[in-house]
Amino acid sequence: MAKSESFFHKILDSLIGGKDADAARKKQLKNIAKVLSKSRFKFYKAGSDQALPAMAKFFYDLYKALSACQTLFNTQQNPAYYKNIAVDLSLSDVQKQMIETLSEEAIQEAAKSMQINQLKEKVKSDLANFSGEFDQSKIQEIDATYQKLLALRAFCTFDYYFIIKKFDSTVKENDFSKSPKFNAIDASYISNDLKDFTVLLYSLPLAEDWSGVLALLTKMRGGSEPIKSSQWAKILSRLSQIKTSRVFEMIIQLSTKDPLYQVQYEEKREQIVETYLEKIRTEAQTAIKKIENAQKNSKVDALLNQIFGTTSISSLQNYTDEQSAYFTKKNLGGFEYTKPLNYLKTFLVEYVKKDVRAYADLVLVRGKWATSPFTAEMSDAYNAILEYSEKITLFDKKLSEDDGEYGKKLKTLLPRADRDKEAANIIKTTLRDNNTLAKEYIVSATKQLIVFGKITKLLIEDYQKQRPELMTNWKELDRFAETPINELGVNVYKKIYLVVQLMQGLVSGQA
């Protein structure tokens, strides 16, 4: 605004010269004073350049009338609150019922009697129906109400007390028990305050319907009106007269000796309905995700108990959640497959090298197979499974901070990551590469377990046949087995089946 005024002053000076320009300015100010003197609002005395008690009374009356609104707005500072309440008030009875079903509590309750996939479809349908109730007309009405609410909030929370106190220093804030005694003051003393006020005044859509906004205020105040509609109507009428007469604009021009001053403001338009709907969608989807995670964790715990007899399992030293936390705190990423890799390693050590090995030694070493392609397939799968145990061990050692190839590098770079973009990028790349390798080990080892498990199942079925087709010496193998070979095979198959379920549940994108 100042730049614009300066620009016009320069043009004026260049056209008619410095002294002539000053004379022209004085003439303009004199004309403005003449127009202002004819105004019904006796707020200013041009001869002495004074703001009069009538102006103070105008602001005092506003201050008193809007005090309850000001308190109401001041107690709620969260911008999101006003967006939500503007939409909430517009909801139809049908929408109010719909939104109840989309709350986290309602979704949690529905999950007790519905499968997760059914629940997802229900929530998706409810969201679509709820959103569909907002047609273009309704959206425009809500947005308009919100804009008026913001404009009223700014107008009500204007510091009227600060202006009034300049006219009467004895006035106490929010104390309307006695009438103040206002004195005339130098108008330049409040010129900036007047500029701020006129911006707010001119931003108010005075001629529009305010019933929706007043209803919002009443709802915000728990059903009690902070200002009656009749009182607000009188204020709007008076404000409209002041705006039309340009009385404050002229007072500012005279008190600042700037005849070119104009009130400048911009109308901000914000579309809040889509933001509101996105919030509802996000909250509903988050509730679904919580349920999925809870069910997944419950299933994981059940599988861990069946496989290991406990949920407290630890085999890895470096590729862990604890080590990952150092990187996630700095938003650098982290170790993504710590749990499945840890569980897999524990299974390979505690079970594959015992029961699975015992079964493999019997059927692959001592077993006499009929002509079958399964022998080599099962042997290759078993050897691959054993190799993954060693691969995971070496992988974990490489992440050791003391002597690991990657661990030492990460430890060195981490303190520099906050200020060194290149160091941060190297850490992110290193973590990403290690996560890719961890997932590859999990997926590949699980595939080999599936192969070994499928053939084990065929052998179990073959053992139970009167005339076996795959193995010709079952009775002989039983004599070598510490545990009956069929029982051992069933146990091996069950454990492998459970581990495969566990891995597939924890690692996405697995075949």
Side-chain angles (χ1 to χ4, degrees), residues 36-96:
L36 182 60
S37 67
K38 297 177 181 178
S39 169
R40 59 176 290 193
F41 300 103
K42 306 304 178 184
F43 291 163
Y44 176 81
K45 187 175 182 180
S48 57
D49 192 23
Q50 286 184 314
L52 302 177
M55 180 192 291
K57 187 176 185 307
F58 165 77
F59 284 116
Y60 179 79
D61 289 343
L62 272 182
Y63 181 45
K64 183 177 180 180
L66 300 175
S67 61
C69 296
Q70 186 177 85
T71 300
L72 183 64
F73 283 121
N74 284 336
T75 55
Q76 181 52 259
Q77 300 293 331
N78 185 1
Y81 171 82
Y82 297 101
K83 294 179 181 179
N84 291 336
I85 197 171
V87 180
D88 287 342
L89 191 69
S90 73
L91 297 180
S92 65
D93 291 339
V94 173
Q95 282 181 305
K96 289 175 183 177

Side-chain angles (χ1 to χ4, degrees), residues 286-459:
T286 299
I288 291 286
K289 194 67 178 175
K290 283 183 180 179
I291 294 168
E292 282 187 306
N293 288 338
Q295 292 181 354
K296 180 179 178 180
N297 291 336
S298 177
K299 184 177 181 181
V300 167
D301 286 348
L303 288 170
L304 291 175
N305 278 313
Q306 290 180 75
I307 298 166
F308 304 108
T310 179
T311 58
S312 180
I313 299 153
S314 179
S315 290
L316 303 178
Q317 302 298 316
N318 304 298
Y319 191 77
T320 63
D321 289 336
E322 291 74 19
Q323 291 297 104
S324 180
Y326 293 118
F327 307 109
T328 54
K329 285 178 183 176
K330 293 180 177 285
N331 295 318
L332 297 169
F335 298 141
E336 297 177 5
Y337 301 101
T338 54
K339 287 182 172 61
L341 193 66
N342 180 53
Y343 301 151
L344 177 61
K345 173 63 179 175
T346 303
F347 181 76
L348 295 176
V349 171
E350 294 186 2
Y351 201 79
V352 169
K353 290 189 176 181
K354 295 177 183 177
D355 289 16
V356 174
R357 173 174 282 172
Y359 188 73
D361 284 348
L362 287 169
V363 298
L364 292 175
V365 178
R366 295 180 180 274
K368 294 180 181 179
W369 294 70
T371 52
S372 169
F374 296 128
T375 312
E377 191 176 357
M378 189 178 195
S379 179
D380 289 344
Y382 173 65
N383 289 322
I385 291 167
L386 293 178
E387 287 176 6
Y388 278 111
S389 179
E390 183 61 25
K391 286 180 180 179
I392 294 170
T393 299
L394 293 174
F395 167 79
D396 192 50
K397 285 182 178 178
K398 286 183 179 180
L399 289 167
S400 169
E401 292 183 350
D402 299 323
D403 53 8
E405 175 187 350
Y406 300 119
K408 288 194 295 183
K409 179 166 70 172
L410 291 170
K411 182 181 180 181
T412 302
L413 293 171
L414 187 59
R416 294 159 40 195
D418 291 332
R419 62 184 184 279
D420 188 339
K421 188 175 181 180
E422 184 179 355
N425 287 335
I426 293 173
I427 290 174
K428 290 177 182 178
T429 301
T430 303
L431 293 173
R432 186 167 58 247
D433 291 346
N434 278 277
N435 285 328
T436 299
L437 194 56
K439 183 178 180 181
E440 181 185 325
Y441 287 156
I442 296 165
V443 172
S444 299
T446 302
K447 285 180 178 178
Q448 298 303 326
L449 284 168
I450 291 171
V451 172
F452 191 91
K454 283 182 178 178
I455 298 175
T456 298
K457 187 172 185 292
L458 291 174
L459 290 174

